Amino acid sequence: MSNLTHLDSQGHAHMVDVSEKDITTRVAHAEAFVEMMPETLALITQGKHKKGDVLAVARIAGIQAAKKCSDLIPLCHPLMLTKVGVDLIPEVELNRVRIRTICKLNGRTGVEMEALCAASVAALTLYDMCKAVDRGMTINGLRVMEKQGGKSGHWQADQTPAGHA
């Protein structure tokens, strides 16, 4: 394993200096899942939840989270994102909502943390809006699915959905 970049030679945390890195197009995709009772998913997909359009609110929350990532994660660089996308896909047969995010920019550092923040906050918002009817919901499978750009180039995760062998 390589050295941790957020620690200096004395082991003190610091923000990584990216000023010498090349500006490249950087893209990251992340996903998460919110599992719930079939009745809860039906309320969401049929638009019958008393709090309104749960998926629309979660989408906006995810977009906002990506934009605020550096305020939430210590040592994260503030970034000028050029694209943030949040898709919430009901998977009725699995009693869950799959959350897929994308973040993109032309810059000196990657956007994996922004994509992860978007997915996690979208999932938390979905939970918050539905907890009154289903306190047993679970959030799982949060991970980076793909990243592009920078010196390390392209990386893609195993495409097997989280929780499935």
Side-chain angles (χ1 to χ4, degrees):
M1 178 177 261
S2 63
N3 293 331
L4 298 174
T5 59
H6 287 80
L7 299 177
D8 66 17
S9 60
Q10 289 83 41
H12 300 124
H14 70 99
M15 186 179 223
V16 175
D17 181 359
V18 298
S19 60
E20 298 301 318
K21 287 186 171 186
D22 291 334
I23 295 175
T24 63
T25 298
R26 296 166 185 263
V27 182
H29 300 262
E31 76 175 2
F33 300 90
V34 181
E35 295 182 10
M36 61 195 67
M37 295 185 308
E39 299 83 7
T40 307
L41 189 55
L43 282 175
I44 293 168
T45 59
Q46 295 169 11
K48 295 182 178 177
H49 196 291
K50 68 179 182 177
K51 290 188 177 181
D53 190 341
V54 172
L55 299 179
V57 174
R59 182 176 300 107
I60 292 168
I63 293 167
Q64 191 66 23
K67 293 166 44 178
K68 293 291 191 176
C69 184
S70 66
D71 292 337
L72 301 169
I73 308 296
L75 310 178
C76 224
H77 291 85
L79 302 177
M80 290 293 296
L81 297 168
T82 57
K83 177 179 179 60
V84 178
V86 178
D87 292 319
L88 294 102
I89 304 116
E91 296 181 337
V92 177
E93 66 284 357
L94 298 171
N95 298 319
R96 70 184 187 184
V97 174
R98 177 189 296 254
I99 301 164
R100 289 188 172 163
T101 64
I102 181 174
C103 290
K104 183 177 181 180
L105 60 66
N106 292 317
R108 300 183 194 281
T109 189
V111 290
E112 297 92 2
M113 293 310 301
E114 288 71 15
L116 288 166
C117 275
S120 61
V121 170
L124 290 168
T125 301
L126 201 151
Y127 182 94
D128 181 52
M129 292 189 73
C130 296
K131 70 182 183 285
V133 296
D134 188 354
R135 293 209 185 268
M137 289 178 290
T138 60
I139 298 170
N140 55 54
L142 178 65
R143 64 182 180 154
V144 174
M145 295 301 297
E146 184 176 6
K147 60 106 16 216
Q148 296 170 288
K151 192 163 79 172
S152 62
H154 185 240
W155 176 86
Q156 194 166 10
D158 173 8
Q159 296 300 304
T160 304
H164 295 82

